[in-house]
Amino acid sequence: MHACRKLLYGVNEITVKVPSVFKLLIKEVLNPFYIFQLFSVILWSTDEYYYYALAIVIMSIVSIVSSLYSIRKQYVMLHDMVAAHSTVRVSVCRVNEEIEEIFSTDLVPGDVMVIPLNGTVMPCDAVLINGTCIVNESMLTGESVPVTKTNLPNPSVDIKGMGEEIYSPETHKRHTLFCGTTVIQTRFYTGELVKAIVVRTGFSTSKGQLVRSILYPKPTDFKLYRDAYLFLLCLVAVAGIGFIYTIINSILNEEEVGVIIIESLDIITITVPPALPAAMTAGIVYAQRRLKKVGIFCISPQRINICGQLNLVCFDKTGTLTEDGLDLWGIQRVENARFLLPEENVCNEMLVKSQFVACMATCHSLTKIEGMLSGDPLDLKMFEAIGWILEEATEEETALHNRIMPTVVRPPKQLLPESTPAGNQEMELFELPAIYEIGIVRQFPFSSALQRMSVVARVLGDKKMDAYMKGAPEVIASLCKPETVPIDFEEVLEDYTKQGFRVIALAHRKLESKLTWHKVQNISRDAIENNMDFMGLIIMQNKLKQETPAVLEDLHKANIRTVMVTGDNMLTAVSVARDCGMILPQDKVIIAEALPPKDGKVAKINWHYADSLTQCGNSSAIDSEAIPIKLVHDSLEDLQLTRYHFAMNGKSFSVILEHFQDLVPKLMLHGTVFARMAPDQKTQLVEALQNVDYFVGMCGDGANDCGALKRAHGGISLSELEASVASPFTSKTPSISCVPNLIREGRAALMTSFCVFKFMALYSIIQYFSVTLLYSILSNLGDFQFLFIDLAIILVVVFTMSLNSAWKELVAQRPPSGLISGALLFSVLSQIIICIGFQSLGFFWVKQQPWYEVWHPYSDACNTTRNPHWNSSHMYNETEPDSHNIQNYENTTVFFISSFQYLIVAIAFSKGKPFRQPCYKNYLFVVSVIILYVFILFIMLHPVASIDQVLQIVCVPYQWRITMLIIVLVNALVSIMVESFFLDMVLWKVVFNRDRQGEYRFTTTQPPQESVDRWGKCCLSWAQGCRKKMPKAKYMYLAQELLVDPEWPPKPQTTTEAKALVKENGSCQIITIT
């Protein structure tokens, strides 16, 4: 039977095969760019252009080796993480109760695994059927707090109807031991081993699914990379024109076939630069290095550029926006169904024997690990506040009894009023029974679905046992006798939650004396958790982190939306959102409460408005007509708008996704608070935001945020636990201040990519045009001229211009997302026209000079003036004939002008503010450019024979050198004026202002009629120019539509119902409740 199951389910292992270097090399080398580089290198070698070919080969080898190293390193890291405990020896129970020891790889679903006393790392997913385990699940959840796992309840002794329930790892996760998690301790019955049934193995386990998601992540589709390929196709088209032109020109001039082939193919390698991949990578590598300096580690470097486009960031609340732990603010007890005054100090003699403190002492999942109390932070704070002592039975004590020895809690002796110092040892032994101790007999662990936990306990010496329960106040109150719940319960609770407190309710009841120890061990949860007496509230405070408000303010100033996604209570989340500035004081909050279809009724959404603030008016009720988009002032100069935010919980979010698909985009536009969200719902939210074209960032502390961190465009984990292997970015410091740093560096890297791409495009076109001009006279650039341009100018400039660090603050302006944008295209095309114009001017003007003649070795242009600036390279003119016709006046002129043009466009494109530091702060770039300028000026104005001989430059009169200098200076002036003044000050700002105003309107929503009037007055002239133009992003287009929608936002106390027959588009209607 076991063999059959093994055949069906396969071997229990999560194998991450590390590909061999050869396989990775083949995969990497087959990249189209490397194939093109290989083609270029072969071509240059046949043309005897060895030096640059060698440089490209070296760069390619370095690039391939570094890429292989990083890819293989990631595979090895993942392999080591998975393989650390993949094969261990485990004990399993067979049919005849025999214990057999096997390798974990032989486990199959259905095997009964024995959990060892000293703990283990789980090699599979298994459900506990005997005993209790304390487990560390940080591997999967990022939560390092130990979790108590109890055995699966027995359906036969459970309440009626439960026998039909089917086991599910998600529903019964409190009873499930997940693969990869560490069992720290086990508790057991004598003679009864702690057993678990294997339910999932291999890649089907929770750990297997995590590994699979890391191995096969969602591909990042970013406009920049799509546009880059489109741009390269344009360059290929340009190369095609040059290719045809070269062939026709060469045939007309009766060139040899070999020369025609080499020259025509050479024009392609000139137009599509083989060094482009290395150049584009440089900026990202530098950004990654800068991020590392500020404590942000990146495992997906390509995502750095995408982070430059983020316009919305989702934040987890606990541990991210707020401090990780909770502080006990106080308690509010209930006596005779009335709330007493709040009390701060719980640790006093008056309360020590009260049921309230007994509940705080027993109703928790704390345990001692190596002598230290460990467990849920909330339970820890609660237990520490009363100052009691927890004692657990040792393994030896447990082995002596036929049942699990209870965990015992007792107050310190100084708190017991009747505790008197014992006179002698005998007296102390006699008084022992009088000591106040409570034993925890049975624990029903906290369930997020039930939102509560309970325990059965007994005070030492008492005949009857007590049941204690704690959890969400609404849930606890519903399980208590109505007469014990204060009338003002809801008002008191709402008052606390609005102030941002976390409130927990406590309840208690005495159990019947007939309930024996053994019966309690088998009793169902529901039999205990009912008919309780309401005891009061514990008020916990979750403080904001010190840096939270300032960081969120910086993001808002930069027009970056912030959204809260939390597992906490709705009102607490709204309160924290107001405290941290995510929701401004004057903003309205609309709570969407969605109810699923029930009893033949369709799904519906009830819209509630959170209470208006005092400054908004003194009316006690909200007028249904006073929707929150009313203008405070009518004048356009003093326009103030009241914004609105949607808030909803996880259940409502799921109902809306399923039944109200057409409302989802509208809610995404203004949804700010999402409470009680499960891990998969966080991922769905990120996807819903991406569906309306937001670039979404996600910041979480690693607990339950893995899916959302992976799904977001830029996920940054504040936890360094293994769960963060899946997050593209991990911050060393658990502070959200890393988010603005990441976006700033992303923007700087993105602008660097644009600068480098533009520069490489101009380099290609300048060199392409130089060669095309020279081909027309059957000439070309010399090998060393190519080498000087390609190595000394281009590579030096490219690798230094990428070094500009990020601008010190976030600005409202965002860089373009792709290369195909008006401003960038204008920038490139204008510079191409300028460079071609001045190069053509030099090429044709030199032919008009009185001293010009078709150059030959005996040309004597320099001696015509006989002035003191006589060309020292004149003697080189009297050399052997030049077979390739490299040496001529046109070549020399084009070489000098084009050499300066590369440096001019490099400076014009090296922009700083508002995304990068100014280029003059990039010292390496400045020094490199100055050295190159000085060198080229020197060889142009004061020729050196040896340099001229190497570069194959011919002698030209000094006046022409001055003329070339003037051409270069005018070229520089025009290029920089067009790029820095016309483009930045006129075109860019007009486009940006339009976008910014649009986005402001979209986020601050105006009433339909006023907004239309304002659009008419402010944008009439612009609208005439581009009447039909619609925003590209869906959320912007949607915002425009909502401006004229009289039904949006929904009015208070209204209900939106889904139609009975829900169509594919999820249509719905609004019905006002009267």
Short mmCIF file of all heavy atoms in Angstrom, two decimals, residues 353 418 426-437 459-462:
data_model
loop_
_atom_site.label_atom_id
_atom_site.label_comp_id
_atom_site.label_asym_id
_atom_site.label_seq_id
_atom_site.Cartn_x
_atom_site.Cartn_y
_atom_site.Cartn_z
N LYS A 353 -7.01 38.47 43.36
CA LYS A 353 -7.83 37.26 43.33
C LYS A 353 -9.12 37.44 42.53
O LYS A 353 -10.01 36.59 42.59
CB LYS A 353 -8.15 36.81 44.75
CG LYS A 353 -6.96 36.18 45.47
CD LYS A 353 -7.39 35.41 46.69
CE LYS A 353 -6.21 34.70 47.32
NZ LYS A 353 -6.62 33.89 48.48
N GLU A 418 -2.98 37.72 52.44
CA GLU A 418 -2.92 36.83 53.60
C GLU A 418 -1.60 36.08 53.69
O GLU A 418 -1.39 35.30 54.58
CB GLU A 418 -4.08 35.82 53.56
CG GLU A 418 -4.02 34.78 52.46
CD GLU A 418 -4.65 35.28 51.17
OE1 GLU A 418 -4.86 36.51 51.04
OE2 GLU A 418 -4.93 34.45 50.30
N GLU A 426 8.25 22.99 58.61
CA GLU A 426 7.02 22.21 58.78
C GLU A 426 5.79 23.08 58.53
O GLU A 426 4.85 22.66 57.88
CB GLU A 426 6.95 21.61 60.21
CG GLU A 426 7.93 20.49 60.48
CD GLU A 426 9.34 21.00 60.75
OE1 GLU A 426 9.48 22.21 61.06
OE2 GLU A 426 10.29 20.21 60.62
N MET A 427 5.88 24.29 59.09
CA MET A 427 4.76 25.22 58.93
C MET A 427 4.53 25.53 57.45
O MET A 427 3.40 25.59 56.98
CB MET A 427 5.08 26.51 59.70
CG MET A 427 3.91 27.48 59.78
SD MET A 427 2.56 26.78 60.73
CE MET A 427 1.41 28.14 60.69
N GLU A 428 5.65 25.68 56.71
CA GLU A 428 5.57 26.01 55.28
C GLU A 428 4.89 24.87 54.51
O GLU A 428 4.04 25.10 53.67
CB GLU A 428 6.98 26.24 54.71
CG GLU A 428 6.96 26.95 53.38
CD GLU A 428 8.36 27.33 52.92
OE1 GLU A 428 9.14 27.84 53.75
OE2 GLU A 428 8.66 27.10 51.74
N LEU A 429 5.22 23.64 54.86
CA LEU A 429 4.62 22.49 54.19
C LEU A 429 3.13 22.42 54.51
O LEU A 429 2.31 22.07 53.67
CB LEU A 429 5.30 21.19 54.63
CG LEU A 429 6.68 20.95 54.03
CD1 LEU A 429 7.35 19.79 54.76
CD2 LEU A 429 6.56 20.62 52.54
N PHE A 430 2.79 22.78 55.77
CA PHE A 430 1.40 22.73 56.20
C PHE A 430 0.57 23.78 55.45
O PHE A 430 -0.58 23.56 55.12
CB PHE A 430 1.34 22.98 57.71
CG PHE A 430 -0.07 23.04 58.23
CD1 PHE A 430 -0.83 21.88 58.38
CD2 PHE A 430 -0.66 24.28 58.53
CE1 PHE A 430 -2.14 21.94 58.84
CE2 PHE A 430 -1.97 24.33 59.00
CZ PHE A 430 -2.70 23.17 59.16
N GLU A 431 1.20 24.96 55.17
CA GLU A 431 0.48 26.07 54.53
C GLU A 431 0.42 25.94 53.01
O GLU A 431 -0.24 26.72 52.36
CB GLU A 431 1.15 27.41 54.87
CG GLU A 431 0.86 27.84 56.30
CD GLU A 431 1.31 29.28 56.55
OE1 GLU A 431 2.02 29.82 55.69
OE2 GLU A 431 0.93 29.83 57.57
N LEU A 432 1.10 24.96 52.47
CA LEU A 432 1.21 24.87 51.01
C LEU A 432 -0.13 24.91 50.28
O LEU A 432 -0.28 25.63 49.32
CB LEU A 432 1.98 23.61 50.63
CG LEU A 432 2.85 23.79 49.40
CD1 LEU A 432 4.32 23.64 49.80
CD2 LEU A 432 2.54 22.78 48.32
N PRO A 433 -1.17 24.17 50.78
CA PRO A 433 -2.45 24.19 50.06
C PRO A 433 -3.10 25.58 50.04
O PRO A 433 -3.95 25.84 49.21
CB PRO A 433 -3.32 23.20 50.85
CG PRO A 433 -2.35 22.32 51.55
CD PRO A 433 -1.19 23.20 51.88
N ALA A 434 -2.73 26.45 50.95
CA ALA A 434 -3.34 27.78 51.01
C ALA A 434 -2.79 28.72 49.94
O ALA A 434 -3.32 29.79 49.73
CB ALA A 434 -3.12 28.40 52.39
N ILE A 435 -1.72 28.30 49.26
CA ILE A 435 -1.13 29.16 48.23
C ILE A 435 -2.10 29.27 47.05
O ILE A 435 -2.71 28.29 46.65
CB ILE A 435 0.23 28.58 47.76
CG1 ILE A 435 1.24 28.69 48.89
CG2 ILE A 435 0.73 29.33 46.52
CD1 ILE A 435 2.54 27.98 48.63
N TYR A 436 -2.26 30.49 46.54
CA TYR A 436 -3.21 30.74 45.44
C TYR A 436 -2.54 30.42 44.11
O TYR A 436 -1.62 31.11 43.68
CB TYR A 436 -3.65 32.20 45.50
CG TYR A 436 -4.72 32.56 44.48
CD1 TYR A 436 -5.99 31.99 44.56
CD2 TYR A 436 -4.47 33.47 43.46
CE1 TYR A 436 -6.97 32.31 43.65
CE2 TYR A 436 -5.45 33.81 42.54
CZ TYR A 436 -6.70 33.23 42.65
OH TYR A 436 -7.68 33.56 41.73
N GLU A 437 -2.99 29.32 43.48
CA GLU A 437 -2.43 28.91 42.19
C GLU A 437 -3.58 28.53 41.26
O GLU A 437 -4.60 28.03 41.70
CB GLU A 437 -1.52 27.68 42.34
CG GLU A 437 -0.14 28.00 42.84
CD GLU A 437 0.76 26.76 42.87
OE1 GLU A 437 0.24 25.65 42.62
OE2 GLU A 437 1.96 26.89 43.13
N VAL A 459 -8.72 26.80 40.01
CA VAL A 459 -7.96 27.34 41.13
C VAL A 459 -7.64 26.17 42.06
O VAL A 459 -8.52 25.32 42.32
CB VAL A 459 -8.76 28.43 41.88
CG1 VAL A 459 -7.98 28.95 43.09
CG2 VAL A 459 -9.10 29.58 40.95
N LEU A 460 -6.43 26.13 42.56
CA LEU A 460 -5.98 25.03 43.43
C LEU A 460 -6.91 24.93 44.64
O LEU A 460 -7.12 25.91 45.35
CB LEU A 460 -4.54 25.30 43.89
CG LEU A 460 -3.85 24.14 44.61
CD1 LEU A 460 -3.58 23.00 43.64
CD2 LEU A 460 -2.54 24.61 45.23
N GLY A 461 -7.51 23.76 44.80
CA GLY A 461 -8.42 23.56 45.94
C GLY A 461 -9.88 23.72 45.59
O GLY A 461 -10.74 23.28 46.35
N ASP A 462 -10.21 24.33 44.49
CA ASP A 462 -11.61 24.50 44.09
C ASP A 462 -12.14 23.22 43.45
O ASP A 462 -11.41 22.50 42.79
CB ASP A 462 -11.75 25.64 43.07
CG ASP A 462 -11.88 26.98 43.77
OD1 ASP A 462 -11.57 27.05 44.97
OD2 ASP A 462 -12.27 27.97 43.10
#
